[in-house]
Amino acid sequence: VELEGVKEFYNKVAEQWHHTRSKRGILWPRCVEFLNNLEKYSIVADVGCGDGKYLPAIFKNGCFGIGCDISVELLKLCGKSGGPDVMQQEYDKTSWAERPEVAAADCLRLPLRTSSCDAAICIAVMHHLSTLPRRIMCLKEILRILRVGGKADVQAWALEQEGGKRRFGGQEVYVPFKVQPKYLEGKGGGG
């Protein structure tokens, strides 16, 4: 399920995802608050980093970010985004944006040493894992990479969304993504 429904899907829609998400510069406010409260020089793992939209926020706070994601095509978009956000524009001017520290990895087997990170974020990833045991495995993996006293911010989509247009009939539902054909040219068709 996850191979086809997540990895292959995001590899197909990576450019559209980047265009409709990261370039707008919209970050989840509680995650930004978490990052703003980290000590300077912290090593921060972004588990499920996608196209790296949180890397500028990590950098802005004087921290070092390491991103991991299962989609290689999303990882190729990490770095310069050209987005309108001032924080992103400042990041774009740095050498960090030229060559962000990212790795292709499953969130259940992170390529990071045990106790190597001061903090970790895992934003909008849990709903991509198909079972509760796999979600727990992801959380255990995040705990493994954190040093003693390290902090993690794990956030998932809310069933109830304030001011949201969507209404969900339950917790385990498929949410379709409207794929724009212009982004799929040469990528093997539909989503």
Side-chain angles (χ1 to χ4, degrees), residues 141-156:
E141 186 66 354
I142 290 169
L143 290 173
R144 181 190 66 78
I145 66 169
L146 289 176
R147 67 169 172 77
V148 173
K151 300 175 183 177
D153 181 26
V154 178
Q155 296 187 37

Side-chain angles (χ1 to χ4, degrees), residues 30-110:
R30 296 276 190 213
C31 182
V32 173
E33 182 181 322
F34 174 82
L35 294 171
N36 287 342
N37 288 309
L38 294 177
E39 290 184 32
K40 194 172 183 179
Y41 308 117
S42 291
I43 297 172
V44 182
D46 185 350
V47 178
C49 71
D51 58 2
K53 75 178 193 175
Y54 285 95
L55 293 174
I58 294 168
F59 176 80
K60 175 188 166 277
N61 290 303
C63 298
F64 179 76
I66 304 168
C68 298
D69 200 275
I70 199 167
S71 170
V72 172
E73 295 304 315
L74 279 173
L75 291 171
K76 288 178 183 177
L77 296 168
C78 288
K80 289 191 174 189
S81 79
D85 183 72
V86 173
M87 179 172 51
Q88 177 69 51
Q89 290 174 356
E90 289 301 313
Y91 179 74
D92 287 350
K93 296 175 188 174
T94 71
S95 61
W96 294 104
E98 292 292 329
R99 201 179 143 128
E101 298 295 330
V102 295
D106 185 321
C107 63
L108 305 179
R109 288 174 288 286
L110 297 171

Side-chain angles (χ1 to χ4, degrees), residues 153-171:
D153 181 26
V154 178
Q155 296 187 37
W157 269 46
L159 180 60
E160 301 88 18
Q161 297 188 10
E162 289 182 28
K165 300 175 206 167
R166 295 184 184 214
R167 297 287 176 247
F168 301 105
Q171 290 186 345

Side-chain angles (χ1 to χ4, degrees), residues 109-121:
R109 288 174 288 286
L110 297 171
L112 300 168
R113 295 175 71 164
T114 299
S115 304
S116 61
C117 297
D118 300 300
I121 60 172

